[in-house]
């Protein structure tokens, strides 16, 4: 979905991401992350914006930071290294933020797309449509607007005769203009500009308004007043383009992004029984035909193979991998663990830093004790091994292929269980003649019957 198709000569594109605001209604604690770094399905809000922006393959990206700038800058350095960042301290309005962004790229000429850093639901397609409209109309400015019965505190789009764009008026500046407040078309705050048109329009913006701030909307209004064309495009799902300003907004955004991720997996043939109670974070790979049962959480970077089943009430995290046909049932948590083909852990189990061989069976209540208080250690369970209910495997430890542990066994670290061996007890010891164990058990069964 790039805007530049092969052979097409497109104008240069810069994207300005406004991310300086504090999010005062979020009442975040002192060491809470700044708003744009709040998590949404395994990554910060800003990462969702980065992905949408990335679709456009812009030539330049400038992110305006301000509140908690240092933390946002270090995230940018690690996760969006080709973005420039500029600081806006203090934050005196969207107009000032946009001016600072453009001042950071003084030689840039072409199109400038403006997007906020706190809109995780924004999609590359929304941005592409805004840019296409802007370029198609050869406009000096293009506003992405939305419709709502009552747009509340949002800026209203005022139109004149024949629907021509006149101005955007902030709700707080329209208290004495009921006709304006009654308008249903609002400004989402996403725009496309011609850089040459917007630079002069951002100079000496007035602060004589209800918020005492420099308004980006005033730059749009100036362009319109100068007689240069202001185009607009109506967003299909404008609610999705509104910033996260409260925990309620955040929950709504997370729910929407979660539903979208689930839908993408279902469209590829993954059977998600109840997407409303299933959380699948970003960057999860699930093979078609896998089944995800209700109340399951699959963390970023996990991989689930063909025919595998997860849940109900399972939690996969830290890039856990289920190979084809593997199962993680109710109340199973897996962290940095690989379950081999057809291996099963069906109930009440913690598998951390473990490798489970193909067809192994992990009994109910098994725990890998992977943390000794200072470091994490690995557990390796061989193919076809059978781990008895309630076994504690104290890592680092290896259970060989086809080996067995008895119910409630505690296998101490370093006391590896040999292939085929059966161990029981606390600490676990090999059962005498354990290789004969299965023969003896079947004999016992015969005697009982
Ligand atoms: C702005 C628009 C309004 C629109 C609304 C949509 C203006 C004057 N008004 O409202 O018409 O309906 O967005 O949400 O632009 N930010 C900065 N620096 C600042 C101020 C804001 O980076 O100095 C960033 C914020 O972090 C946020 C975004 O800009 O991501 C919007 O700021 P916010 O205060 O929520 O928007 P308004 O100005 O109220
Ligand atoms: Ca504001």
């Amino acid at each position: 979905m790039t805007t530049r198709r092969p052979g097409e000569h497109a104008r240069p594109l810069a994207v300005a991401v406004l991310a300086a605001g504090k999010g005062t209604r979020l009442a975040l604690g002192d060491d809470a992350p700044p708003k744009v770094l709040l998590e949404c399905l395994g990554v910060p809000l800003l990462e969702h914006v980065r992905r949408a922006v990335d679709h456009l393959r812009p030539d330049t990206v400038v992110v305006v930071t301000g509140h908690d700038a240092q933390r946002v800058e270090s995230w940018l350095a690690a996760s969006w290294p080709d973005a420039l960042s500029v600081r806006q301290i203090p934050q005196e309005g969207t107009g000032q933020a946009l001016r600072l962004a453009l001042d950071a790229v003084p030689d840039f000429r072409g199109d400038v797309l403006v997007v906020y850093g706190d809109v995780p639901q924004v999609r590359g397609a929304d941005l592409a449509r805004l840019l296409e409209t802007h370029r198609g109309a050869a406009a000096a400015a293009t506003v992405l607007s939305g419709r709502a019965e009552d747009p509340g505190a949002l800026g209203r789009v005022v139109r004149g005769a024949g629907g021509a764009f006149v101005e955007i008026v902030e709700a707080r500046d329209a208290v004495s203009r009921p006709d304006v407040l009654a308008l249903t078309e609002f400004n989402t705050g996403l725009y496309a500009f011609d850089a040459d048109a917007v630079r002069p329009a951002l100079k000496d913006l007035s602060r004589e308004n209800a918020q005492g701030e420099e308004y980006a909307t005033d730059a749009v209004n100036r362009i319109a007043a100068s007689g240069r064309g202001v185009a607009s495009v109506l967003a299909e799902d404008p609610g999705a383009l509104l910033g996260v300003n409260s925990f309620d907004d955040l929950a709504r955004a997370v729910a929407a992004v979660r539903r979208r991720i689930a839908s993408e997996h279902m469209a590829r043939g993954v059977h998600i029984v109840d997407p409303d109670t299933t959380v699948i974070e970003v960057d999860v790979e699930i093979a078609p035909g896998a089944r995800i049962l209700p109340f399951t959480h699959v963390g970023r970077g996990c991989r689930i193979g063909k025919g595998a089943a997860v849940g109900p009430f399972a939690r996969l995290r830290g890039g856990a991998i289920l190979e084809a046909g593997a199962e993680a049932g109710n109340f199973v948590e897996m962290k940095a663990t690989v379950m081999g083909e057809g291996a099963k852990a069906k109930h009440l189990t913690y598998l951390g830093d473990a490798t489970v061989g193909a067809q192994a069976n992990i009994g109910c209540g098994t725990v890998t004790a992977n943390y000794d208080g200072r470091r994490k250690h690995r557990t390796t369970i061989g193919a076809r091994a059978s781990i008895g209910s309630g076994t504690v495997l104290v890592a680092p430890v290896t259970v060989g292929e086809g080996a067995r542990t008895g119910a409630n066994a505690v296998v101490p670290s370093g006391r590896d269980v040999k292939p085929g061996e059966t161990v029981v007890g606390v600490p676990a010891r090999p059962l005498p003649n354990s290789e004969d164990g299965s023969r003896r058990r079947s004999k016992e069964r015969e005697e009982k019957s």
Side-chain angles (χ1 to χ4, degrees), residues 36-59:
V36 289
L37 297 187
L38 286 174
E39 202 202 283
C40 174
L41 282 321
V43 291
L45 297 179
L46 194 50
E47 168 66 10
H48 291 275
V49 175
R50 188 196 67 77
R51 291 175 183 211
V53 166
D54 217 39
H55 273 286
L56 304 175
R57 303 188 183 288
D59 301 284

Side-chain angles (χ1 to χ4, degrees), residues 154-168:
L154 298 168
R156 305 295 198 273
V157 177
V158 180
R159 294 184 181 276
F165 178 93
V166 176
E167 60 175 344
I168 298 170

Side-chain angles (χ1 to χ4, degrees), residues 166 220-228 230:
V166 176
V220 180
N221 296 347
R222 277 182 176 174
I223 291 170
S226 75
R228 297 203 54 188
V230 173

Side-chain angles (χ1 to χ4, degrees), residues 184-394:
T184 56
E185 190 183 359
F186 65 86
N187 171 30
T188 64
L190 278 71
Y191 320 91
F193 290 105
D194 172 6
D196 288 344
V198 74
R199 281 184 203 277
L202 286 165
K203 285 210 179 100
D204 307 313
L205 286 172
S206 158
R207 295 188 186 190
E208 313 232 315
N209 53 51
Q211 298 185 64
E213 287 182 349
E214 294 181 31
Y215 285 175
T217 47
D218 279 352
V220 180
N221 296 347
R222 277 182 176 174
I223 291 170
S226 75
R228 297 203 54 188
V230 173
S232 65
V233 51
L234 207 56
E236 280 158 17
D237 183 9
L241 299 174
L242 298 181
V244 167
N245 287 308
S246 64
F247 285 117
D248 201 58
D249 292 344
L250 179 62
R252 233 192 308 272
V254 169
V257 176
R258 178 168 57 95
R259 196 61 172 78
R260 188 198 296 162
I261 292 173
S263 293
E264 286 165 6
H265 286 296
M266 290 189 284
R268 291 179 37 262
V270 177
H271 182 184
I272 299 175
V273 174
D274 183 10
D276 291 336
T277 63
T278 303
V279 178
I280 301 172
E281 294 185 348
V282 300
D283 304 334
V284 171
E285 245 180 81
I286 312 180
R291 276 190 317 143
I292 313 294
L293 292 131
F295 298 101
T296 289
H297 190 123
V298 183
R300 180 179 187 189
C302 289
R303 185 154 65 70
I304 298 170
K306 209 175 132 202
V310 186
F313 299 99
R315 181 174 183 210
L316 268 47
R317 58 192 188 99
I321 296 171
L322 257 70
E323 302 288 10
E327 282 183 43
N330 36 236
F331 306 105
V332 171
E333 175 180 350
M334 285 172 54
K335 190 221 68 175
T337 285
V338 181
M339 287 277 270
E341 275 189 32
K344 292 180 172 47
K346 299 194 71 132
H347 341 259
L348 293 164
T349 287
Y350 174 61
L351 295 166
D353 304 299
T355 304
V356 180
Q359 311 299 334
N361 187 70
I362 310 298
C364 177
T366 296
V367 171
T368 54
N370 59 332
Y371 185 51
D372 62 12
R374 288 185 307 135
R375 288 175 50 200
K376 303 280 172 67
H377 302 279
R378 291 205 70 84
T379 299
T380 305
I381 297 169
R384 295 174 311 283
S386 175
I387 307 300
S389 295
T391 296
V392 178
L393 300 165
V394 185

Side-chain angles (χ1 to χ4, degrees), residues 110-132:
D111 297 312
V112 180
L113 198 95
V114 180
V115 55
Y116 297 158
D118 60 354
V119 290
Q121 294 184 69
V122 70
R123 294 168 313 160
D126 298 320
L127 301 180
R129 212 158 66 87
L130 170 59
L131 193 60
E132 271 159 31

